[in-house]
Amino acid sequence: MSAPLWTSAELRQATGGSCPEGLEIRSVGIDSRATGPGELFVALRDARDGHDFVADALSRGAAAALVDRDPPGVAAEAPLLRVGDTLAGLQALGAAARARSTARIAAITGSVGKTTTKEMLRHGLAALAPTHAAVASYNNQWGLPLTLARMPRDSAYGVLEIGMNHRGEIAPLARLAAPHVAAITTVEAAHIGHLGSLEEIAEEKADIMQGLAPGAPVVLPRDSSSFARLAGRAEAAGLRMVTFGADPAAEYRLLDYRGGAESGLATLSLRGETHALALAAPGRHLALNALAAIALAEALGADRAGFLAALTEFRPGAGRGGRVVLDLPGGSALLIDDSYNGQPPAMRAGLGVLGSQIPGPGGRRIAVLGDMRELGEHGPALHASLLPDVLAAADMVFCCGALMRGLYDALPENRRAAHRGSSDELAPLVRQAVRPGDVILVKGSLGSRMAVVVRALASAAQAGNAAPHEGAHS
């Protein structure tokens, strides 16, 4: 058996806490329902207090639990790693993991596209050498250190994602990650309700550079209206700029994109060398994500030919544009599950993919759209601005949430299917309306809970296709 991820001595040294001798930790987790043998269960506080689930985690085989108080229903002699604060303890464990790792590390942020770019980079690098990456969107004050704390000792590459909701959140995470290369995928109006302006969003995204050593590469979006601001920050930090995009000045450039219903073909210029890249999923935005991933991979020293070969097999996962065939009575329909991210650029990209689809006989292109969150006073106008994209893509439109009401009312009557205030109310209506031949896009901010609609459609299918789990970590 391989060496454990953490021993008792390493846990104590990393966190300054106390624990019994003889612990051998093989994984680290925060969800008691998913706990397995050898795991260190971290009792974080969020909507619920993780200490209330320590007994459950231990009963499921957890090797120990990281706690800062006596958990209920747990014996005094239970294997507990006691610290002053569990979040600080997890962050200390992440810092220790980063310090001991010899892996080449990339960190990615951006208004949209960061998770897909992270997954593309992970997919390509994993074909070349042992690669560790964040699961889902573990990119915040607990997600990033958890990802680091889980990093196997033999990882050759590490791929980290850094997100934010408010100003000042990215810099400490970037310093914790200490990447060899960082990337900013886009700067858009996401979270503008919290940050107030596109300029402040750009400054916050640029704070990822605080984790880089002078002379390190930073991958920047050459097409962005904020490029000059980002480039100024990179120059001031003494970093080496690497650019991607469709702009003629980009080092990693998209020369041409041709998309079909199920795939795409991109022509790329990679530092002056032309390559054709076949993508196993449609969307020009995926070609741009791929460019960022390629730039990151090469900055880490990865082999170009091997990475590109692996990239042709990449497909988006559940909630990120994953495609699910729904077996219905009388035929099948296609569900495009893009339910995780609903910011304006991502919404337009998803609608573009829907518009490229060819429904089956008697089928329709159906858009099921949830509110785009955290847009503040800009919300109504940004929702209204989607009207041309919706009209170009969808034959039938369902809308969910107060902000989407304005868009729904602006639609021609023959495109309106239904509007409801919540996904729980809307889901049964969508389920009843779907028929064989339809192509259904489900999209919205995570807070809109559009995964409820995805689950309703999946349950309507005779094959019972699985939908992504949605719920609070415990």
Side-chain angles (χ1 to χ4, degrees):
M1 183 176 289
S2 60
L5 187 62
W6 297 98
T7 65
S8 293
E10 290 170 330
L11 291 172
R12 287 192 292 265
Q13 183 176 7
T15 65
S18 61
C19 66
E21 293 291 345
L23 296 181
E24 291 192 352
I25 302 302
R26 300 194 174 274
S27 63
V28 183
I30 59 171
D31 188 340
S32 64
R33 298 163 298 183
T35 298
E39 180 169 291
L40 173 67
F41 172 70
V42 182
L44 294 177
R45 292 178 179 84
D46 190 27
R48 293 180 288 181
D49 188 343
H51 290 80
D52 295 336
F53 301 93
V54 170
D56 180 49
L58 293 174
S59 72
R60 294 173 184 265
L66 177 64
V67 301
D68 57 28
R69 68 175 177 87
D70 291 333
V74 174
E77 65 275 13
L80 302 177
L81 172 58
R82 296 180 178 274
V83 297
D85 177 81
T86 51
L87 178 57
L90 176 60
Q91 292 169 342
L93 202 61
R98 178 64 190 92
R100 77 181 183 185
S101 177
T102 59
R104 298 281 295 168
I105 305 291
I108 302 166
T109 193
S111 299
V112 294
K114 55 184 174 292
T115 299
T116 299
T117 302
K118 179 259 296 182
E119 283 300 302
M120 283 182 160
L121 184 59
R122 179 199 61 78
H123 182 87
L125 292 176
L128 306 176
T131 299
H132 177 68
V135 298
S137 289
Y138 281 14
N139 60 24
N140 61 5
Q141 73 274 13
W142 58 260
L144 180 69
L146 178 62
T147 299
L148 288 169
R150 289 172 164 176
M151 185 180 295
R153 297 175 187 267
D154 65 348
S155 297
Y157 296 112
V159 185
L160 307 176
E161 181 179 335
I162 299 179
M164 64 87 187
N165 290 309
H166 299 86
R167 192 73 173 97
E169 292 180 344
I170 286 180
L173 296 176
R175 289 192 290 268
L176 176 62
H180 296 94
V181 58
I184 299 171
T185 58
T186 53
V187 176
E188 300 287 354
H191 309 298
I192 197 168
H194 293 318
L195 277 81
S197 69
L198 201 62
E199 291 76 17
E200 280 300 301
I201 294 171
E203 290 293 340
E204 177 66 11
K205 297 300 182 186
D207 279 353
I208 197 171
M209 301 179 200
Q210 293 191 32
L212 295 169
V218 59
V219 178
L220 300 178
R222 192 63 182 81
D223 301 339
S224 173
S225 61
S226 300
F227 175 74
R229 181 179 294 270
L230 300 177
R233 287 285 300 272
E235 184 177 0
L239 302 176
R240 175 168 61 87
M241 280 185 290
V242 179
T243 59
F244 75 97
D247 189 285
E251 296 167 79
Y252 291 79
R253 184 183 174 197
L254 179 62
L255 299 176
D256 184 57
Y257 174 78
R258 299 184 182 185
E262 298 184 3
S263 61
L265 179 64
T267 304
L268 313 176
S269 174
L270 308 179
R271 293 188 179 275
E273 188 175 303
T274 302
H275 291 266
L277 178 64
L279 295 165
R284 183 177 181 273
H285 63 293
L286 292 181
L288 292 169
N289 292 156
L291 275 176
I294 295 164
L296 284 163
E298 296 198 359
L300 292 174
D303 173 68
R304 175 182 290 182
F307 188 84
L308 291 177
L311 207 53
T312 63
E313 301 174 356
F314 172 82
R315 288 176 174 81
R320 303 286 182 179
R323 302 161 73 86
V324 180
V325 175
L326 303 174
D327 293 322
L328 305 172
S332 63
L334 176 65
L335 166 65
I336 303 174
D337 176 10
D338 209 355
S339 58
Y340 194 90
N341 186 356
Q343 294 299 322
M347 191 70 79
R348 289 191 169 86
L351 288 165
V353 170
L354 176 63
S356 72
Q357 304 302 301
I358 302 173
R364 305 149 297 177
R365 289 188 294 263
I366 300 175
V368 186
L369 308 178
D371 277 355
M372 302 182 291
R373 300 292 187 90
E374 299 181 358
L375 299 177
E377 63 184 20
H378 305 274
L382 288 171
H383 282 74
S385 73
L386 295 176
L387 182 62
D389 302 272
V390 174
L391 293 176
D395 306 308
M396 174 184 288
V397 184
F398 291 86
C399 288
C400 178
L403 287 165
M404 276 295 172
R405 180 79 218 195
L407 175 65
Y408 185 79
D409 289 343
L411 289 168
E413 189 171 349
N414 64 353
R415 304 284 185 101
R416 298 180 199 164
H419 172 273
R420 291 293 186 273
S422 73
S423 57
D424 292 310
E425 298 172 287
L426 188 66
L429 302 181
V430 179
R431 177 174 172 169
Q432 292 165 13
V434 168
R435 66 194 188 202
D438 286 344
V439 181
I440 312 103
L441 169 72
V442 179
K443 190 155 185 63
S445 289
L446 183 62
S448 298
R449 301 180 64 244
M450 299 307 289
V452 171
V453 179
V454 171
R455 287 198 293 272
L457 291 174
S459 67
Q462 291 176 344
N465 294 292
H469 175 76
E470 180 181 70
H473 291 286
S474 60

